[in-house]
Amino acid sequence: MATERRDGEVQPGFKWGPFTMRIPFVHLRFSLSDMLQGFAVAGATGLALVPYFVALLGLSFEEAVVMAMIHSLLISFSWMFFGDPYAPGWLTPAIPFVVAFITAPAYVGDHASQFQAMTALSLNFALILVVLGVTGLGAKLVKIVPNVFKGGIILGAAVAAFLRVTKDGDAANVFQSAPIAGTLGVLVCLVFAFSKPLQEIAIRNLTVAKILSFGLLPGFILAGIVGFFTGEFQFNIRWEILDVGAATISLWEKTSPFVIGWPPIETFAASFPLALITYILFFGDLVTGNEMIEHAQKERSDEKLDVNSSRAHMATGIRNGLMGITAPFFGTQGVLWTGIQVVLLKRWAQGKNKLNSIYDSIGSFYLFGVPILFLLLPLVTLLEPLLPVALAVTLILTAFACATLALSLVDDATERGAMVITAMAFSLYEPWQGLLIGLFTIIVLCGVKVFMPKTTENHTDN
């Protein structure tokens, strides 16, 4: 049975330094609905980059699955070992930038150089996060980043994600590979996540509310069923257990800097602008997560959710550092999975009789940190046809959320125009070029005054 919590306090756990470890069935309980959703949605989404690993980086299917499993294990560290009350996920808006970066002429076709680039990106990002987290400078740094520039980066990520989903021959283009099932699945997930009319119906209809409580799962199930009957999805089930040992050894030999060599200084320098850009995205996720928790906290006085931005910086930095030397693919170690955080917090806000602790929900969704799914090839291959759907859903939902967030950051028409130009520069050019074009555009059109901190603002994310 989970350790009992005093009313109004933080869920108990083992303190170590600034972090708190919570052990399944000791500090958190089991939640069936969250487990079912996590098994399908988190599993399929965690495997969604497997086509990229195979097509772009030259990994075998087994090696790609092990890489995805390592990423999922590291993601589970956030809530289990570090104690953050977030549903962690990818830095999804950065992934289109990352793919463009490693498919540049300097890296394309040279898989060792691509993995070195991923290691350089991951270690640069980890260094930024740990330094800013330990010193507490993160919030102060973002104060000088004007809303128009942040909006340009976020909107640029949205545009890049939409372009990636619709690009011919891309692994994320499910509309091309499975036009009926893929379109239906993505549409249902989008409606379930953001439709205001549907949310209003759920308030009055318990059946609709119950369906919505499963988040993105109904969309995935519907896509799989339709895809089977239309012939768009071919299910080739492999009845075996993944040979983790062999796949891990071969993955290590292909990806780890301890084997293929450490990135040269030039690669660290070339990747640093993208690491800085990703930090802005990270900060946006962090602010979004904190605001979501603050809003939900009003409904639950019995459990205090302890948010600490410095701790989140350090925890995410540690995960990125570990990922960079074991299974490097940048963008897979972020602080927040926005769509799932919304779903889990909504359930938590219904009261203690529905869910004792937010960690019950997060822990069950992530299967208590045990990636059983990745080991069972029958389940992996069952979900394999749905991987393009999972990737498309992740990119489109993130693009939609980023677009709405970016457009809400500025009210001035000139700043909004500069933001759009900056966004297009980030989505069409290399990160450092987009950075320079965006800065030049904003300074010329809006003036340097936009870079001055506004002392009248109450929040650093505005």
Side-chain angles (χ1 to χ4, degrees), residues 206-256:
L206 292 178
T207 301
V208 175
K210 186 65 176 178
I211 295 174
L212 289 181
S213 71
F214 287 97
L216 307 179
L217 180 59
F220 280 78
I221 294 176
L222 185 61
I225 294 173
V226 172
F228 174 77
F229 284 107
T230 60
E232 294 174 317
F233 294 154
Q234 302 296 324
F235 294 90
N236 300 312
I237 309 300
R238 291 173 54 180
W239 300 98
E240 55 187 293
I241 303 297
L242 177 66
D243 189 347
V244 179
T248 302
I249 292 173
S250 60
L251 178 68
W252 175 268
E253 293 173 347
K254 289 183 179 180
T255 65
S256 175

Side-chain angles (χ1 to χ4, degrees), residues 167-199:
K167 184 178 179 181
D168 289 343
D170 194 270
N173 191 349
V174 72
F175 307 115
Q176 185 181 57
S177 60
I180 299 176
T183 301
L184 187 60
V186 170
L187 181 62
V188 170
C189 289
L190 183 65
V191 169
F192 275 35
F194 294 108
S195 173
K196 288 184 177 180
L198 189 61
Q199 292 171 1

Side-chain angles (χ1 to χ4, degrees), residues 374-434:
F374 296 90
L375 304 178
L376 305 176
L377 287 183
L379 294 177
V380 171
T381 51
L382 177 65
L383 291 173
E384 186 177 0
L386 295 176
L387 300 188
V389 178
L391 184 55
V393 166
T394 299
L395 290 173
I396 287 180
L397 294 189
T398 299
F400 185 88
C402 286
T404 56
L405 174 61
L407 294 172
S408 69
L409 289 178
V410 296
D411 297 318
D412 181 82
T414 301
E415 290 188 2
R416 189 174 288 118
M419 183 181 73
V420 171
I421 294 175
T422 302
M424 296 306 297
F426 274 119
S427 62
L428 296 176
Y429 298 100
E430 294 186 21
W432 68 270
Q433 293 174 321

Side-chain angles (χ1 to χ4, degrees), residues 182-356:
T183 301
L184 187 60
V186 170
L187 181 62
V188 170
C189 289
L190 183 65
V191 169
F192 275 35
F194 294 108
S195 173
K196 288 184 177 180
L198 189 61
Q199 292 171 1
E200 292 173 357
I201 293 173
I203 296 176
R204 305 185 300 270
N205 190 304
L206 292 178
T207 301
V208 175
K210 186 65 176 178
I211 295 174
L212 289 181
S213 71
F214 287 97
L216 307 179
L217 180 59
F220 280 78
I221 294 176
L222 185 61
I225 294 173
V226 172
F228 174 77
F229 284 107
T230 60
E232 294 174 317
F233 294 154
Q234 302 296 324
F235 294 90
N236 300 312
I237 309 300
R238 291 173 54 180
W239 300 98
E240 55 187 293
I241 303 297
L242 177 66
D243 189 347
V244 179
T248 302
I249 292 173
S250 60
L251 178 68
W252 175 268
E253 293 173 347
K254 289 183 179 180
T255 65
S256 175
F258 291 102
V259 178
I260 65 175
W262 293 88
I265 297 298
E266 295 80 5
T267 303
F268 277 104
S271 63
F272 195 75
L274 181 51
L276 282 176
I277 290 168
T278 306
Y279 175 74
I280 302 297
L281 299 174
F282 162 85
F283 190 87
D285 281 347
L286 188 61
V287 169
T288 301
N290 289 348
E291 289 186 346
M292 290 166 60
I293 288 173
E294 182 180 350
H295 179 75
Q297 184 72 79
K298 299 174 183 178
E299 306 296 327
R300 288 286 300 266
S301 60
D302 64 288
E303 180 181 13
K304 179 183 177 182
L305 300 187
D306 178 28
V307 294
N308 185 307
S309 295
S310 293
R311 183 184 64 210
H313 274 74
M314 290 184 284
T316 311
I318 291 170
R319 287 193 283 121
N320 273 274
L322 292 173
M323 181 267 293
I325 62 176
T326 56
F329 192 87
F330 187 62
T332 60
Q333 300 300 314
V335 69
L336 183 72
W337 187 349
T338 305
I340 296 304
Q341 184 79 1
V342 170
V343 173
L344 300 187
L345 280 176
K346 280 183 177 179
R347 177 165 151 75
W348 177 77
Q350 292 176 1
K352 188 174 182 179
N353 60 323
K354 296 287 186 180
L355 194 70
N356 178 63

Side-chain angles (χ1 to χ4, degrees), residues 49 80 99 330 408 410 450:
L49 287 175
M80 184 183 293
V99 172
F330 187 62
S408 69
V410 296
V450 298

Side-chain angles (χ1 to χ4, degrees), residues 22-25 28 30 35 38-40 42-43 68-81 244 362-376 379:
R22 293 183 176 88
I23 300 175
F25 304 109
L28 55 147
F30 174 72
M35 187 276 290
F39 198 77
M69 181 178 70
I70 294 173
H71 294 163
S72 295
L73 280 169
L74 291 172
I75 283 175
S76 295
F77 284 172
S78 278
W79 65 267
M80 184 183 293
F81 291 99
V244 179
I362 296 175
S364 298
F365 183 85
Y366 291 97
L367 304 178
F368 299 124
V370 182
I372 300 174
L373 171 67
F374 296 90
L375 304 178
L376 305 176
L379 294 177

